Amino acid sequence: MKIVFVSNFLNHHQIPFCEEIKKLCDEFYFIATEKGNAIGYQVSQERDYVIDYSCDTPRAENEILSADAVIFGASPDSLVNLRMKENKLSFVYSERIFKKGIWRRFIPKNKSHVENRYINHKDKNLYVLAASCFLPYDLSLFKFNNDKIFKWGYFPHIEAEQQEKEENTILYAGRFIKLKHIETVIEVANLLNKD
């Protein structure tokens, strides 16, 4: 079986997932559609399964078309369309589309993106991997079938020693941006401390 994962770049969140999928398949490739990233993630393109789309476009497109299954992350809609012309098993994973408000579905650029990536293929062999509990709702606004949406997440490998502690601890791992709502973690810690 051949599986291809297409996304903008391979980062530390995805490497453990890719390493495990590679063990389970006859062939596995990660196609990186961009050279770098805008939010400072460490980029890891030096793996034997990474194909740089900009340097080897014909090979990358051939792997996308010949794979048994393709997972699309942050990547051009044109690559999803390429695969859907053949109606081959494909998955698109995404966080919430309308993080800044569902009213944004009326912005022509946003509407076009949702239609090109999801809605135009809703009757084809395309499924959605929701990395957010809000994504199914966002897609339902466009009449996308919820039976074709699955919960999705990948978890980085962590090596940590287990220690017995007298007190409980909470670990937060994420960026300190408004969208992540770190204040909720603080509120929960306060409630647990009181109880």
Side-chain angles (χ1 to χ4, degrees), residues 11-182:
N11 66 47
H12 62 285
H13 293 297
Q14 300 159 329
I15 291 172
F17 172 78
C18 291
E19 297 292 335
E20 290 304 313
I21 290 295
K22 185 179 177 191
K23 291 177 192 174
L24 300 172
C25 305
D26 299 317
E27 288 183 79
F28 171 76
Y29 299 103
F30 182 98
I31 298 175
T33 61
E34 297 176 15
K35 292 261 185 220
N37 68 86
I39 57 175
Y41 284 144
Q42 180 181 356
V43 178
S44 302
Q45 310 296 54
E46 303 301 321
R47 307 279 174 169
D48 64 347
Y49 52 80
V50 175
I51 299 171
D52 184 336
Y53 182 76
S54 63
C55 293
D56 202 351
T57 302
R59 178 179 176 213
E61 290 181 353
N62 180 59
E63 299 300 353
I64 289 169
L65 287 172
S66 63
D68 294 298
V70 175
I71 302 167
F72 292 97
S75 58
D77 293 343
S78 60
L79 295 179
V80 176
N81 293 334
L82 177 72
R83 179 96 174 152
M84 287 296 89
K85 284 180 187 174
E86 303 292 324
N87 197 25
K88 293 187 171 186
L89 180 62
S90 303
F91 300 87
V92 174
Y93 85 86
S94 177
E95 293 183 3
R96 182 167 200 186
I97 299 169
F98 303 115
K99 292 177 182 178
K100 296 182 179 178
I102 59 173
W103 64 270
R104 290 178 175 263
R105 72 187 186 274
F106 299 114
I107 297 173
K109 181 181 175 183
N110 294 347
K111 182 179 180 197
S112 177
H113 169 71
V114 172
E115 288 174 348
N116 287 333
R117 195 163 189 87
Y118 305 94
I119 307 309
N120 293 345
H121 311 301
K122 68 181 180 180
D123 296 325
K124 294 187 176 178
N125 212 0
L126 178 78
Y127 297 85
V128 175
L129 303 173
S132 163
C133 62
F134 299 104
L135 181 61
Y137 175 73
D138 289 354
L139 290 175
S140 75
L141 298 171
F142 292 85
K143 308 290 187 237
F144 192 88
N145 184 352
N146 271 352
D147 291 341
K148 294 181 75 177
I149 302 174
F150 303 99
K151 292 179 183 177
W152 170 258
Y154 45 74
F155 303 94
H157 177 72
I158 297 173
E159 291 186 27
E161 292 183 25
Q162 293 288 344
Q163 300 177 14
E164 292 204 20
K165 297 181 180 181
E166 292 181 19
E167 297 179 5
N168 292 322
T169 58
I170 296 174
L171 170 68
Y172 171 82
R175 293 180 288 154
F176 286 102
I177 59 175
K178 185 177 179 180
L179 178 68
K180 300 295 183 176
H181 292 286
I182 186 64

